[in-house]
Amino acid sequence: MESRFGEEELKEIENVNHHEKEELDLEEIKDQTEDVKRIPPWTNHITIRGLIASVAIGIIYSVIVMKLNLTTGLVPNLNVSAALLAFVFVRTWTKLLHKAGIMATPFTRQENTVIQTCAVACYSIAVGGGFGSYLLGLNRRTYQQSGVDTPGNNPDSTKEPEIGWMIGFLFVTSFVGLLALVPLRKIMIIDYKLSYPSGTATAVLINGFHTPKGDKRAKKQVHGFTKFFSLSFLWAFFQWFYAGGEQCGFVQFPTFGLKAWKNSFYFDFSMTYIGAGMICSHLVNLSLLLGAVLSWGIMWPLITGLKGDWFPKTLPESSMKSLSGYKVFVSIALILGDGLYNFLRILYFTATNIHARAKKSNLKTDSDNQDQALDNRQRNEIFIKESIPMWTACVGYTVFSIISIIVIPLMFPKLKWYYVVVAYILAPSLSFCNAYGAGLTDMNMAYNYGKVALFVLAALSGKENGVVAGLVGCGLIKSIVSISSDLMHDFKTGHLTLTSPRSMLVSQAIGTAIGCVVAPLTFFLFYKAFDVGNPDGEYKAPYAIVYRNMAILGVEGFSALPQHCLQLCYGFFAFAIAANLLRDLSPKKIAKWIPLPMAMAVPFLVGAYFAIDMCLGSLVVFAWHKLNSKNADLMIPAVASGLICGDGLWILPSSILALANVRPPICMKFLAS
């Protein structure tokens, strides 16, 4: 979810599913013992065909996640999907060359890992660059939706999106995070042996591809991906012909009747969200549905009926003192309650774990190293041998920090330079805490660190500067903390696939640089072709208004809330903490049914339709496991990726047609008789 929470925190909640993959075919990793002698130099891990594949995958996924960001803000983890697509791309390339009589360089697991890393780094900028949250929250439309007469929401606290400053902002904030934790990579991966479940799951998948047994399985996955990719693309193309006006087409099909449709309860035939539902856990999808029923099924109709009592009848629904205010601030209460609990939980977990390791390390002897498995020692030797000099990381971090300290206050004069200095002094410590917690739990808490920065800077900067300073400061901290954690996941994948840390860092840097250009261009494709930010349209960009109102709260306090909203917020904030606490303290049989407050918050703003799509994806997974569990484990990632990519790829031609003013020829609409 774009709030990585809504793009990222939820995205990270889903990653827990990858724990299952750690147990799959771990014996295949042992085959690497024979590969050690055949590993090419690290410079050979990065190839021209690999870079072409990375750019292609990065662009496709940037379009997909940008659509998800600007519609619901919910983005599932697509790393494993990217690794599969990298394998499909290069295998297809080598087969075509072979048929043409041209000998191709063998496709190794190291090259596969580098492609996946580069592609993920590219589209991660689109996921977490703030295009659907803190950067879009600066535009004039979001300012107007937050209420032009709202205290703290000043008319000069806006900055319209432009490709130039967005690319510049991404470059100066993203590269600092790449170097923040590089000196600690050995401690995190080898000494602490942190699991990084998502990184491990990706490594298991890649290692599985590059074995004789894995090649057979990969062919089945490639066939499944291609089949459902084609079906999804053709279905999206077919739907386009019937969407020739507002509220037209299959995406507005009143599945459960017109009254339910008006309250956003309908199935919109989106292959993207069905695929996302297949990737996300059942708990996430059911939490989304519960949130939809609670908000659009119960609360919003009841509050609408109190018009004239709780808020004036003359106010438009979009006013922050009207129904929209309740939608936004109750969502914020759930987000903050869930975020605060998990933030403190991960900090406590990290601190106690480090303390336990420190005590344990005093009892270690040299014989511990002799007990290591042979393949583990070989992986460690390769990981350490291809070291990244300490001075490179320190000098790079200092240089990029200085550039950022100069450039960001010039871009945003309301964020004072000394706040940026403090941010970069604190960033390595914050990055370490987040990366350590992610290694233990697979939860990237970067958006929570960003929210803390948002409230602190908004409060410190005052009414005139608070909103802009809070939003930009949020993006600054979030980018550093998130990217450094992502790099550690990649180092874990590289460690398990015998890939050099140097090639991983270079590929991450290349992918980040490409993403800093591709992501703003992708955003503007949507921004110019579609009505982004319209609360009644498809591209609601819900987290733009959430983040702006968080900044206003930081400036004004609770005076910004509509009548009785504070009491509701207290209730939902307490519910979020209680639900998390109950899940942690309950037995697993009970805990797996306790809803996720972060997931529940998404439909409060967006609507119920996508929750229905995602629950359908869960239903497909459930039925598939009942019928053939072994086949389901193998094929679900491929089928889900095909559905997401096919539907996502159609966005490119449909956007171009919209920019060229080519409209669909038919409007299929449903009206009461």
Side-chain angles (χ1 to χ4, degrees), residues 238-256:
F238 174 75
Q239 284 189 89
W240 178 81
F241 286 94
Y242 296 89
E246 281 193 24
Q247 298 184 339
C248 294
F250 286 91
V251 293
Q252 298 289 337
F253 193 90
T255 323
F256 310 111

Side-chain angles (χ1 to χ4, degrees), residues 425-535:
I425 291 172
L426 295 175
S429 301
L430 300 177
S431 297
F432 174 79
C433 292
N434 185 53
Y436 193 95
L440 294 170
T441 65
D442 212 29
M443 290 182 69
N444 187 340
M445 305 301 290
Y447 265 88
N448 286 326
Y449 286 93
K451 286 168 198 161
V452 171
L454 186 153
F455 282 113
V456 170
L457 287 172
L460 291 176
S461 300
K463 292 187 178 182
E464 294 299 319
N465 304 327
V467 171
V468 174
L471 291 172
V472 176
C474 169
L476 189 69
I477 291 293
K478 181 260 150 198
S479 294
I480 300 169
V481 173
S482 180
I483 289 173
S484 58
S485 176
D486 290 343
L487 184 61
M488 283 299 155
H489 276 281
D490 291 333
F491 277 146
K492 182 66 177 183
T493 303
H495 177 246
L496 293 174
T497 57
L498 303 171
T499 307
S500 164
R502 292 183 183 179
S503 60
M504 297 296 286
L505 182 62
V506 171
S507 63
Q508 179 94 6
I510 293 170
T512 300
I514 295 168
C516 288
V517 177
V518 168
L521 292 175
T522 306
F523 170 75
F524 270 89
L525 182 68
F526 285 90
Y527 200 66
K528 298 296 183 184
F530 305 110
D531 190 14
V532 173
N534 178 2

Side-chain angles (χ1 to χ4, degrees), residues 144-147 315-325 328 535-536 545:
Q144 291 170 344
Q145 288 177 358
S146 298
L315 284 177
E317 191 176 304
S318 58
S319 169
M320 281 296 107
K321 295 292 184 182
S322 179
L323 182 61
S324 288
V328 169
D536 299 318
I545 195 166

